[in-house]
Amino acid sequence: MSLNESEKICPLCGKDNNCQHGQGGCWCENVKVSKKVLDLVPEDKRGKACICRDCIEKYMK
């Protein structure tokens, strides 16, 4: 199963999220994202695309 274009875009910064979910494993499957970071995702984009590693690291601080 390949991701569609909108699933490849980080909902926070708009850059490529480098997600390989559903394609044999991805870095995002083993990352715990805090509620604080998840709450930053706009309502219309929640649950539709992964947050990129850079944003996770930036907002977890």
Side-chain angles (χ1 to χ4, degrees):
M1 175 177 104
S2 64
L3 299 174
N4 69 43
E5 288 306 309
S6 65
E7 292 173 315
K8 296 178 183 179
I9 304 300
C10 174
L12 296 180
C13 69
K15 296 180 181 174
D16 188 339
N17 61 18
N18 198 29
C19 182
Q20 303 298 313
H21 191 76
Q23 298 176 23
C26 182
W27 65 269
C28 69
E29 295 172 8
N30 299 311
V31 174
K32 299 287 185 208
V33 180
S34 73
K35 181 174 179 348
K36 173 182 139 183
V37 176
L38 293 174
D39 286 345
L40 296 172
V41 176
E43 185 82 28
D44 64 325
K45 295 182 179 180
R46 289 188 182 170
K48 296 180 181 171
C50 292
I51 299 168
C52 72
R53 189 184 311 253
D54 287 343
C55 283
I56 291 170
E57 291 174 1
K58 175 180 173 181
Y59 294 110
M60 292 282 279
K61 294 178 182 178

